[in-house]
């Protein structure tokens, strides 16, 4: 439940077939998203990801930086995850939901 700012591009969803992972497809998709954002005059780009997602390493290698979700978005994400994904208790106590972003200008 992300509120996109005026100068921000937002990646709503990105997915790569498990059999095609590790081939650079995710990097190409993120590069394409950066290019589209720049073409539209955006200065930053962001995406949301559930904690523990294996793609977090890819996002960090591509320059995305994690920001904890705002206090307002956590209850909404908890509801979404509970209803559609199921509860998952994280033993580390880390937040289950993060926003990653970076500058693209």
């Amino acid at each position: 439940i992300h509120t996109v700012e005026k100068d921000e591009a937002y990646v709503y969803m990105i997915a790569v077939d498990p059999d095609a992972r590790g081939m650079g497809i995710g990097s190409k998709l993120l590069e394409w998203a950066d290019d589209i954002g720049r073409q539209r005059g955006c200065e930053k780009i962001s995406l949301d990801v559930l904690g523990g997602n294996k793609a977090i390493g890819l996002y960090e290698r591509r320059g995305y930086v994690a920001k904890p979700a705002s206090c307002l978005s956590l209850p909404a994400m908890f509801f979404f995850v509970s209803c559609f994904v199921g509860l998952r208790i994280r033993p580390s106590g880390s937040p289950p939901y993060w926003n990653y972003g970076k500058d693209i200008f």
Side-chain angles (χ1 to χ4, degrees):
I1 319 298
H2 181 76
T3 302
V4 180
E5 297 175 15
K6 181 180 176 186
D7 61 347
E8 175 187 15
Y10 179 74
V11 178
Y12 177 73
M13 181 182 289
I14 182 171
V16 176
D17 186 280
D19 294 335
R21 292 181 184 156
M23 299 177 171
I25 296 168
S27 291
K28 289 289 185 188
L29 289 170
L30 291 173
E31 184 178 315
W32 176 73
D34 288 351
D35 291 343
I36 296 294
R38 278 190 219 91
Q39 289 172 14
R40 295 183 179 183
C42 298
E43 296 181 5
K44 56 189 167 189
I45 188 166
S46 66
L47 55 83
D48 292 317
V49 62
L50 290 173
N53 187 315
K54 292 180 182 179
I56 289 173
L58 167 66
Y59 305 145
E60 290 174 344
R61 286 191 304 277
R62 299 285 307 165
Y64 286 78
V65 178
K67 298 177 281 182
S70 75
C71 295
L72 297 176
S73 63
L74 284 174
M77 181 48 69
F78 179 78
F79 175 76
F80 173 81
V81 170
S82 297
C83 292
F84 299 103
V85 179
L87 289 175
R88 179 176 173 185
I89 305 301
R90 298 190 48 82
S92 66
S94 63
Y97 173 73
W98 293 87
N99 178 266
Y100 275 71
K102 69 176 188 172
D103 294 333
I104 59 171
F105 53 87

